[in-house]
Each structure stands twice: as C-alpha cells, then as structure tokens.
C-alpha cells in the first residue's frame, strides 16, 4: 500500500509505535470478548476478579486505541504537509521548458485533486489500523478457542476474500480511469474560467464547448466513478454476508455431522458478530485508501517525469567577474559588470508531427546602461529570446556568457538575480514578496505616484489593497515591483501593449531614460515603432533569426 509506505518513510518509529499500540488495542478488545464469554459461562456471580479484569481491559483498549489513532493522525498530517511543500518545490525547480510541456492542468490536478485524496484518506487509515488490530486479536482468540474450527474458518474466509478482491480490483481500475479523465476536466475548468468572455460572446462556441468538451469529459468521469463506487458498495455488502456464512455453517450445518460444544459455538458466533462493525469500517475505508494510492501513484509518476527531464540545481555559486562576485546575497545594483552575451545560441520547439520552430543561432551582446528594443512579428521568437537571455531556458546549443564566463548549472541561479522582468503573461503577487528593502512602503508609495496608481491602490506593510485592476494598471504594479528589486538589467516583454497613449509616452520618454541614467540595462520587446528612437539599439527577429542588429 503506497499510502502506508509513505507514512512509514515519513516516521517509521511513530508508525511502529502506532502499530504496537494497535496490536495492544486488538488484544485488549479480544480479551474483553473472552471476559464476556467467561462471565456468561460462569454459573451465578462471575466474581469481583472478573469484573476488575473487564475494567482493566476497557481502560487498556481505550488508551491504546486513542494513542494509536492520534499518532497516525499526526504522521499523516505531517506527511501531507511535506508532500505539498516538496511537490511545489519540485515543480519550481524543474526547468521551465519541461514544465510547459507537462502542462498546467496536470500540475494543478496533482497539487489539488491528488493531495486532497491523500488528505481525505488519512482519518480512514487511522481507523483501518485500529480495526485491523482488533480483527487480528479476535482471530487469535478464535484460534485459541478451537484450532480445528479455526482452520475451517481460514479456508472458507480465504475463498471468500478472494471473491471479494476480484470485485474490488474492478473498482480500483475504474477509479484509475476516472483520475485520468480528471486531468481533462481540469483543462475544461481552466478554459471555462480563463475563456469566459470569449464563450459568453459566441453562443455556438459556448454550446460546442459544453456539449463536446465539458459534457463528454464529465460524463466519462461520472461513468467511471459511478461504476467504481457501485462496485465498492456491492463488494462491501458481499463481504458482510460472507462473514455471516461461517455462523450459519457453525450453527446449522456442522452439528449435522460433528458434535460441537455449545459454549465453543456460542463464543465463535459472538466473536464473529463482534467483528462485523470493525470489518464495516475497514470496507468503507477501502475506496478512500484506493483513491489515495492512485493519487500517490500519479504524484510519483509526475515526480519521475520531473526527475527524468532534470531538476535545476539549487546551488547559488557566485558568478565571478574581474574579482567581483555576483550572487543573491549581494545587492546587484552595486555590482559592476560589462556584458551579457549569447554566442551561437539556439532553442528548438518541437510541435506535433514533424513541425518545429528554432530560434537561432543567435549572437547578441548587451552592455550596462543600454536600452535595447527587440522587435519583430508575432511568432518571430521574441519571448523565447527573453527566456534565453534571462536564463529561464538553458541553450540547447551555443553559450550564454556573463562577462565572458559561461552560465550554466551551478551559477545559473545567481545569474538570474541580475534581472527584473515583467513578462507578457506576468503574475502579480498580492504583496511585495521576498523584498528586503529599507522603508519599502515609503519607496513603493513614491512609485505608485510616479505610475499614477496612488488613487486606486493603497499599500500597508507591503500588501496591496487590491489587484482587481485593468491589465494596464496591473502591469504598472508589476513594474513597481521590478523597480524595488533594483537589479542591473530590466526586461519588459511587450509591457506597453496594454497602456494608454499618455502612459506609453511616459514609459518610453521618461521611465526608460531614468533607468538608463542609473546605469541600468533595459531590454524592451515592443511593437511601438513610434518610439523606436528611444532605443540605443534595435534588434529585429524574423522566423527565429536576427535580421538586423542596428545601433541608433
């Protein structure tokens, strides 16, 4: 069982302690059954000793059961916490290009659906262990009562449980298919939330989306889940009936052939009836445990996929240049540097079939205090170039150099700290996350005024009062964050495309010159030919190639 294995790996000694306490709980409960049988068989008053024994066993069963379940709950919650954090870290550490190939829907399904399935199974697992221990104690008591009858019971239950397992396997397989369908449903949900405007404005598209995508995927998910839950319901009922069958055989069939002491038969019947409730708990836990195991398998497969495609090193080895060191612990704005260079650098996108797109080979050199405009048509490779320059994509061929030093592997993390970037598909955090800047609120308010946002956004302890703004205003907030990072190189990927004409002029004619005056380098992906004269250089891309690199 993958869930149990994960918990053991998380804290083997706590699981061992929980297991031992569970065994004590089962033994105590079996002792209670034996005490009840002894009291029933005793003529007259059972005696004070038997009563005190009963009370002691009750106390032992209570303490051991409670402690066992508390330990399992603590382990499972700690494991879920570690699972969530480790999965997020693994995703962030995975190379960007490979994350894009895995797909956002599959990643979201792992972070939400799969982790939630493991979380929901945790309480059931604690009950499963406790009740399994109880059943084990009852089995030991039955073996002690009559080894002969116990052998017959084991043979019968082996056959019965085999038939039960055949049914359960069909349900588990259906759950696996349902989980695979869930990935497609997540993609449908993403389409519904991100494409709401497009769906609202086109009735035929909306109808086709609901009928062909959402309805089909939801129906397939419902079919697999319904079948699985139905199978579990039938198999659970079948298992309960199978537990009554030994009682029928013991009371009605065997007495026709052999003589069974009445006390033994009564004790067997009472013990088997007593085990029905813990058995019901175990059977009810089976669907949840099965879903958790499937979820963990999906997470493992995702982890294997991430490991197979390579996880970026977390090393922050400094980049050295002329005796200076640049790394995340040194303020980048105070570190001298002379060039960032792409040398015969290329990157290829593999499409479906034989289609592909290659950017490069590219040869570019950026210097401090330089404003470089990257221009070109849609699909020419501008955004890919940004990812190569900033180190988000490692070159498939050629080199990325910082002051003549190759950037890759161990110093890649430090190299990225050179850049403040506002991507075309940027994400806006709700606060100034991870910025250790003196008087950060005061400086941020100055930028809010400069970016003409002081009337719509307030700042308190580094937290924005709202992000419910127009796209252009959201980009200005992202620009504010980039300013506060105060790094040597700024990259703006079509930043001005959502700005009104007045603020476009502010951006090109005031903000960019201010950055240049501070010695910053600005790489601006732009279509605004009206402002090309604001650049020091124009780099034009066409079908993945640098058509020209012109100094103005």
């Amino acid at each position: 069982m993958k869930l149990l294995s994960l918990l053991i790996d998380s804290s083997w000694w706590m699981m061992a302690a929980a297991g031992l306490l569970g065994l004590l709980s089962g033994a105590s409960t079996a002792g209670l059954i034996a005490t009840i049988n002894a009291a029933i068989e005793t003529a007259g008053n059972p005696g004070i000793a038997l009563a005190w024994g009963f009370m002691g066993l009750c106390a032992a069963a209570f303490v051991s059961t409670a402690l066992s379940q508390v330990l399992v709950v603590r382990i499972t919650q700690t494991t879920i916490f570690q699972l969530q954090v480790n999965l997020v870290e693994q995703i962030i550490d995975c190379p960007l290009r490979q994350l894009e190939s895995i797909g956002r829907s599959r990643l979201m399904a792992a972070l939400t659906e799969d982790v939630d399935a493991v979380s929901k199974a945790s309480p059931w697992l604690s009950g499963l262990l406790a009740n399994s221990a109880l059943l084990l104690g009852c089995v030991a008591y039955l073996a002690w009562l009559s080894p002969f009858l116990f052998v017959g019971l084991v043979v019968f239950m082996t056959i019965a449980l085999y038939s039960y397992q055949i049914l359960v396997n069909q349900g588990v397989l259906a759950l696996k298919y349902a989980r695979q369908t869930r990935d497609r449903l997540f993609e449908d949900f993403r389409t519904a939330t991100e494409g709401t405007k497009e769906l609202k404005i086109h009735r035929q598209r909306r109808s086709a989306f609901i009928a062909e995508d959402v309805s089909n995927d939801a129906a397939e998910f419902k079919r697999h889940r319904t079948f699985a839950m139905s199978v579990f319901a039938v198999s659970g009922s079948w298992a309960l009936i199978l537990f009554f069958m030994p009682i029928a055989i013991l009371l009605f069939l065997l007495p026709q052939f052999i003589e069974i002491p009445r006390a033994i038969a009564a004790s067997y019947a009472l013990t088997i009836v007593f085990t029905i409730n813990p058995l019901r708990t175990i059977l009810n836990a089976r669907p949840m445990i099965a879903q958790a195991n499937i979820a963990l398998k999906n997470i493992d497969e995702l982890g294997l996929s991430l490991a197979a495609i390579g996880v970026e090193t977390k090393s922050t080895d400094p980049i050295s240049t002329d005796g200076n060191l640049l790394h995340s612990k040194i303020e980048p704005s105070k570190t001298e540097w002379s060039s960032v260079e792409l040398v015969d650098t290329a990157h290829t996108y593999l499409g479906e079939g034989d289609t592909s797109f290659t950017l490069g080979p590219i040869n570019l050199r950026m210097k401090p205090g330089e404003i470089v405009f990257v221009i070109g048509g849609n699909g020419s490779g501008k955004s890919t170039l940004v990812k190569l320059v900033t180190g988000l994509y490692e070159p498939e061929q050629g080199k990325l150099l910082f002051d003549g030093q190759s950037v890759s592997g161990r110093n890649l993390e430090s190299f990225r700290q050179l850049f403040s970037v506002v991507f075309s598909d940027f994400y806006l955090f709700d606060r100034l996350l991870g910025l250790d800047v003196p008087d950060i609120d005061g400086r941020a308010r100055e930028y809010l005024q400069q970016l003409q946002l002081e009337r719509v956004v307030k700042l308190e302890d580094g937290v924005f009062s709202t992000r419910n703004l127009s796209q252009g205003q959201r980009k200005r907030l992202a620009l504010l964050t980039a300013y506060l990072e105060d790094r040597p190189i700024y990259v703006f990927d079509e930043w001005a495309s959502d700005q009104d004409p007045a603020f476009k002029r502010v951006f090109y004619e005031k903000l960019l010159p201010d950055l240049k005056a501070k010695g910053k380098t600005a790489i601006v992906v732009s279509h605004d030919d009206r402002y090309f004269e604001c650049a020091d250089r124009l780099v034009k891309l066409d079908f993945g190639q640098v058509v020209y690199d012109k100094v103005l």
Side-chain angles (χ1 to χ4, degrees), residues 172-451:
V172 172
L173 185 61
L175 283 179
K176 181 179 179 181
Y177 290 145
R179 175 58 188 79
Q180 293 172 354
T181 308
R182 192 69 169 175
D183 285 344
R184 297 200 300 273
L185 268 177
F186 264 81
E187 183 63 31
D188 295 338
F189 298 157
R190 179 186 168 195
T191 301
T193 54
E194 297 182 8
T196 302
K197 296 186 294 295
E198 289 79 3
L199 292 170
K200 281 181 175 295
I201 208 166
H202 197 292
R203 184 172 61 248
Q204 288 84 357
R205 180 184 294 122
R206 181 173 68 251
S207 299
F209 170 67
I210 294 174
E212 298 173 14
D213 293 349
V214 178
S215 295
N216 286 341
D217 292 338
E220 184 176 352
F221 179 76
K222 182 191 75 171
R223 183 171 67 255
H224 291 311
R225 287 277 298 185
T226 301
F227 179 78
M229 294 299 105
S230 299
V231 167
F232 283 126
V234 171
S235 60
S237 300
W238 173 241
L240 288 175
I241 293 300
L242 290 175
F243 253 67
F244 280 105
M245 293 303 295
I247 298 177
I249 294 172
L250 181 67
L251 297 180
F252 304 117
L253 182 61
L254 286 181
Q256 305 296 325
F257 304 98
I258 59 175
E259 184 177 350
I260 301 175
R262 191 169 186 83
I264 295 294
S267 296
Y268 253 76
L270 177 63
T271 304
I272 292 174
V273 169
F274 190 85
T275 60
I276 289 178
N277 188 58
L279 176 65
R280 189 190 301 274
T281 302
I282 293 173
L283 296 180
N284 289 337
R286 186 62 191 269
M288 304 298 294
I289 302 296
Q291 291 181 72
N293 287 331
I294 292 171
L296 286 171
K297 184 177 180 181
N298 285 323
I299 291 174
D300 285 347
E301 289 176 352
L302 180 61
L304 290 174
S305 298
L306 295 175
I309 58 184
V311 174
E312 294 176 340
T313 176
K314 295 183 180 180
S315 171
T316 56
D317 282 6
I319 296 175
S320 89
T321 166
D322 299 330
N324 294 319
L325 294 179
L326 175 64
H327 57 79
S328 57
K329 296 182 180 178
I330 296 179
E331 188 175 345
S333 61
K334 295 182 180 179
T335 305
E336 296 180 359
W337 63 285
S338 60
S339 67
V340 171
E341 191 172 2
L342 296 175
V343 180
D344 295 327
T345 304
H347 181 83
T348 300
Y349 284 102
L350 297 178
E352 296 183 1
D354 297 328
T355 62
S356 64
F357 171 80
T358 299
L359 173 70
I362 299 291
N363 289 280
L364 283 176
R365 181 184 176 93
M366 275 74 71
K367 298 178 295 184
E370 189 177 35
I371 298 178
V372 180
F373 278 23
V374 179
I375 63 175
N378 294 330
S380 60
K382 301 186 299 298
S383 293
T384 303
L385 177 63
V386 166
K387 294 171 184 176
L388 282 171
V389 169
T390 56
L392 289 174
Y393 285 175
E394 292 195 56
E396 295 174 352
Q397 68 181 62
K399 296 180 180 180
L400 172 62
L401 303 178
F402 173 69
D403 282 1
Q405 178 187 356
S406 179
V407 176
S408 63
R410 296 187 62 83
N411 59 12
L412 183 62
E413 175 69 16
S414 295
F415 173 77
R416 290 174 181 163
Q417 310 313 304
L418 281 168
F419 297 88
S420 289
V421 187
V422 181
F423 297 98
S424 57
D425 56 348
F426 71 100
Y427 180 82
L428 181 63
F429 293 94
D430 63 351
R431 63 193 189 279
L432 300 173
L433 187 64
L435 295 181
D436 185 13
V437 179
D439 189 25
I440 190 169
D441 282 4
R443 294 183 60 182
R445 291 187 185 103
E446 292 178 6
Y447 285 128
L448 284 175
Q449 291 180 348
Q450 189 174 354
L451 297 171

Side-chain angles (χ1 to χ4, degrees), residues 13 20 100 134 161 163 190 217 222 295 297 364 400 536:
W13 69 269
L20 290 175
E100 292 171 345
L134 192 155
L161 291 175
S163 66
R190 179 186 168 195
D217 292 338
K222 182 191 75 171
K297 184 177 180 181
L364 283 176
L400 172 62
D536 297 318

